[in-house]
Amino acid sequence: MNKAELVTAMADQAGLSKKDTEKALKAFTDVVAGELKKGGKVQLVGFGTFEVSKRAAREGRNPQSGAVMKIPASTVPKFKAGKALKDSLN
């Protein structure tokens, strides 16, 4: 499902216009991204938690040449599914 299909499905289920649904989806993603940039987390009970994970600097290898290269430390987003979401899939 891509973004346009998601917007259409959400609009149909909520009874909203696609334009309003797209604004709501954009606002949601902006708020989540903003909170993660601050190092916080967004917890939606029953759905899951968006949080930030830190990766330490490490050494890797170039797959073409086999040369050792340094991979810098980074901060990455992480999503952990909630129990209700997991249960709904099984």
Side-chain angles (χ1 to χ4, degrees):
M1 177 180 279
N2 62 28
K3 183 178 175 183
E5 293 167 340
L6 177 62
V7 168
T8 300
M10 287 173 57
D12 290 344
Q13 188 159 353
L16 299 171
S17 70
K18 286 184 185 180
K19 191 173 187 178
D20 289 341
T21 304
E22 192 164 358
K23 282 182 186 177
L25 181 59
K26 173 117 174 72
F28 172 75
T29 56
D30 289 348
V31 168
V32 170
E35 186 63 24
L36 294 179
K37 281 181 187 175
K38 292 190 289 187
K41 69 180 183 177
V42 177
Q43 187 173 11
L44 303 171
V45 175
F47 183 71
T49 303
F50 296 92
E51 56 191 338
V52 175
S53 178
K54 296 189 186 297
R55 287 188 183 162
R58 61 195 189 280
E59 285 187 354
R61 293 202 177 267
N62 181 330
Q64 289 181 332
S65 66
V68 175
M69 54 190 279
K70 292 187 181 198
I71 301 171
S74 63
T75 304
V76 294
K78 184 170 78 170
F79 176 76
K80 181 178 177 187
K83 184 176 180 349
L85 179 60
K86 289 179 192 176
D87 290 347
S88 72
L89 298 176
N90 294 320

